[in-house]
């Protein structure tokens, strides 16, 4: 299994701008982080990899990621891009806003293609937030960053209700083997806490275990066991942050039969123990 990188930030808001005109154009490893992410593709095209899917992103696409989502970005056949990234802890937002923007985080991610007449407005908000983030630290600047972030999320919320939002459950059109794999991914997402073996998953799609394993590897580039473990570790990260549940109980809740196996897989994927991950939050 390819090792994941894990970003754990202490600051309430983090903003970055990158314009890439030469290699490397994408990420070499999957990663996750404990905060939300807003990704604004200002120029060019990219590919978003998540849950075994490869989703093309066009210029002026706003991608919103929930915390603890395993993902990476890669180039298309037309390399070169410019993007803004904003990461923020939801706890940094006023409580009344959290209920308002809840639909944006109902699924693993939300993808919004911004219409032409509003693209400049969204771009300007990201640019203002980036400039403010790079000013000398002060209470006034931190408050203004929060205001701009709230405005961005409000605009995204409005777009969510007026555009066809592409979400995890319907974010790609599948046919043939890809349709089978999409069904498997959805099943794993909803049954990760159960005993999942190749025979069980093959019966879900009414295929032989050997063929099920082969087409999953062909379509996603990873084995079924790897994918199941990544989903379970992602769910474990959420529970480590949101609850004080003992780790041995948490391990069973996310589908691991033993605490020792959970610790080995967690350490291999994130290069941290579960306790270290919880303490860093």
């Amino acid at each position: 299994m390819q090792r994941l990188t894990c970003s754990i930030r202490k600051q309430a808001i983090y903003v970055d701008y990158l314009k890439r005109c030469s290699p490397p154009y994408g990420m070499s490893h999957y990663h996750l982080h404990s905060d939300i992410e807003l990704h604004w593709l200002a120029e060019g095209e990219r590919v978003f990899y998540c849950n075994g899917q490869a989703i093309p992103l066009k210029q002026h696409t706003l991608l919103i990621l929930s915390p603890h989502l395993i993902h990476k970005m890669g180039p298309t056949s037309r390399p070169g891009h410019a993007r803004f990234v904003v990461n923020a802890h939801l706890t940094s937002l006023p409580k009344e806003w959290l209920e308002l923007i809840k639909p944006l985080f109902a699924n693993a991610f939300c993808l919004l293609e911004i219409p032409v007449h509003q693209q400049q407005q969204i771009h300007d908000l990201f640019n203002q937030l980036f400039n403010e983030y790079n000013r000398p630290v002060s209470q006034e600047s931190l408050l203004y960053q929060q205001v701009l972030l709230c405005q961005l999320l409000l605009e995204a919320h409005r777009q969510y209700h007026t555009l066809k939002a592409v979400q995890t459950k319907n974010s790609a059109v599948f046919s043939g083997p890809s349709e089978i794999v999409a069904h498997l991914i959805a099943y794993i997402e909803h049954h990760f806490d159960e005993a999942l073996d190749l025979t069980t998953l093959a019966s879900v799609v009414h295929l032989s275990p050997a063929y099920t394993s082969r087409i999953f590897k062909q379509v996603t580039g990873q084995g079924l066991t790897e994918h199941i473990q990544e989903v379970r570790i992602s769910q474990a990260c959420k529970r480590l942050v949101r609850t004080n549940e003992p780790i041995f109980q948490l391990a069973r809740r996310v589908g691991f039969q033993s605490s020792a196996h959970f610790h080995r897989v967690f350490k291999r994927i994130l290069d941290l123990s579960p306790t270290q991950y919880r303490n860093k939050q």
Side-chain angles (χ1 to χ4, degrees):
M1 177 185 294
Q2 187 183 62
R3 177 167 288 178
L4 302 177
T5 57
C6 177
S7 299
I8 301 175
R9 300 181 182 87
K10 293 298 183 182
Q11 65 262 54
I13 299 174
Y14 167 83
V15 189
D16 184 55
Y17 173 77
L18 176 68
K19 183 165 184 170
R20 184 78 74 184
C21 300
S22 59
Y25 295 110
M27 303 173 178
S28 57
H29 300 289
Y30 282 87
H31 74 285
L32 60 81
H33 33 76
S34 57
D35 43 17
I36 65 169
E37 178 172 311
L38 282 71
H39 180 285
W40 173 244
L41 189 54
E43 299 176 24
E45 300 174 352
R46 302 192 85 188
V47 180
F48 171 55
Y49 296 93
C50 172
N51 290 340
Q53 303 176 61
I55 302 168
L57 302 182
K58 302 177 183 177
Q59 184 178 4
H60 300 138
T61 294
L62 177 58
L63 176 64
I64 303 173
L65 308 181
S66 295
H68 310 291
L69 177 65
I70 297 172
H71 65 283
K72 73 174 182 177
M73 294 288 181
T76 66
S77 58
R78 298 171 57 189
H81 67 275
R83 60 88 175 129
F84 285 95
V85 166
V86 176
N87 292 92
H89 290 284
L90 288 174
T91 53
S92 69
L93 300 176
K95 290 184 179 180
E96 58 270 22
W97 281 79
L98 297 179
E99 191 65 30
L100 178 66
I101 64 173
K102 187 182 291 184
L104 297 175
F105 303 98
N107 292 292
F109 64 89
C110 179
L111 184 59
L112 300 169
E113 294 184 5
I114 304 301
V116 173
H117 68 279
Q118 290 193 291
Q119 291 170 2
Q120 191 61 51
Q121 179 187 13
I122 298 295
H123 184 87
D124 288 346
L125 282 170
F126 273 97
N127 197 45
Q128 289 177 55
L129 185 51
F130 176 72
N131 290 334
E132 193 63 34
Y133 178 79
N134 285 285
R135 289 170 61 90
V137 177
S138 68
Q139 191 62 37
E140 176 187 307
S141 180
L142 293 174
L143 180 60
Y144 190 39
Q145 289 175 47
Q146 187 182 67
V147 169
L148 289 169
L149 175 61
C150 286
Q151 192 172 348
L152 262 175
L153 288 168
L154 178 58
E155 291 300 329
H157 178 264
R158 288 176 172 175
Q159 291 301 314
Y160 176 85
H161 288 289
T162 56
L163 299 175
K164 183 180 180 182
V166 185
Q167 309 244 354
T168 303
K169 60 185 178 183
N170 62 352
S171 58
V173 178
F174 296 97
S175 61
S178 293
E179 189 174 84
I180 296 168
V181 169
H183 188 71
L184 286 168
I185 288 171
Y187 184 87
I188 293 167
E189 198 73 27
H190 289 90
H191 299 269
F192 63 86
D193 55 343
E194 302 173 10
L196 294 176
D197 56 29
L198 182 55
T199 301
T200 300
L201 293 172
S203 68
V204 169
V205 290
H206 309 291
L207 296 170
S208 72
Y211 183 66
T212 301
S213 177
R214 187 165 65 252
I215 64 168
F216 193 92
K217 179 75 171 180
Q218 288 174 350
V219 172
T220 68
Q222 66 177 171
L224 270 165
T225 299
E226 294 175 48
H227 179 74
I228 292 167
Q229 289 182 346
E230 287 184 0
V231 170
R232 286 172 171 167
I233 294 302
S234 179
Q235 293 294 329
C237 287
K238 294 179 184 179
R239 298 189 71 86
L240 284 167
V241 172
R242 298 173 184 174
T243 75
N244 293 318
E245 190 174 16
I247 290 175
F248 76 93
Q249 291 181 1
L250 185 152
R252 289 192 173 273
R253 285 189 185 276
V254 299
F256 286 91
Q257 296 304 304
S258 76
S259 180
H261 185 215
F262 171 65
H263 276 79
R264 283 196 301 272
V265 174
F266 198 101
K267 178 74 173 178
R268 186 172 72 241
I269 291 177
L270 295 180
D271 202 26
L272 291 170
S273 70
T275 300
Q276 288 172 325
Y277 185 88
R278 174 175 269 170
N279 291 340
K280 280 180 174 287
Q281 302 305 306

